[in-house]
Amino acid sequence: MGPFLPFLCIAIGFSWADCSSIFVSGPEKSRIRLALVTVSTSIFLCAIGLSFADHSLLAGAVLVACGMTIALALGRNLSSFWSLLISVGGFAIYLHGVID
């Protein structure tokens, strides 16, 4: 499980921008944009839950802090689609590594 923890941080970091866009009021969003936000929020919340599920409180906090560091460093440099694709990939790699 240890070598797959960075992928969990990647999933947190790359899904944060779209997840946080829920809390910003703005013009009417398209259905595609709302679908991206929904998937991104699901990945973000699941990744945070898994950070604390099989680890201590300190280890979970470190994982979330690493993910948020990635999110702050990333900013909005990537488009929503690419950020979501990277976060889905990181989440899938983590789950595949933990399940096997």
Side-chain angles (χ1 to χ4, degrees):
M1 183 181 313
F4 296 103
L5 292 178
F7 293 106
L8 197 57
C9 293
I10 288 170
I12 291 171
F14 280 91
S15 62
W16 168 249
D18 284 332
C19 179
S20 65
S21 70
I22 292 173
F23 303 108
V24 178
S25 64
E28 193 66 32
K29 296 181 180 175
S30 67
R31 289 184 184 199
I32 294 173
R33 178 76 182 133
L34 290 174
L36 288 174
V37 169
T38 302
V39 172
S40 182
T41 302
S42 299
I43 290 172
F44 179 76
L45 293 175
C46 288
I48 287 181
L50 287 173
S51 296
F52 291 101
D54 290 332
H55 309 99
S56 66
L57 183 63
L58 180 63
V62 168
L63 288 171
V64 171
C66 288
M68 294 310 290
T69 302
I70 291 171
L72 290 174
L74 175 70
R76 279 303 233 172
N77 295 334
L78 289 176
S79 68
S80 293
F81 175 75
W82 290 109
S83 292
L84 181 62
L85 193 62
I86 292 170
S87 91
V88 166
F91 193 67
I93 291 170
Y94 175 79
L95 287 180
H96 181 69
V98 171
I99 292 173
D100 280 346

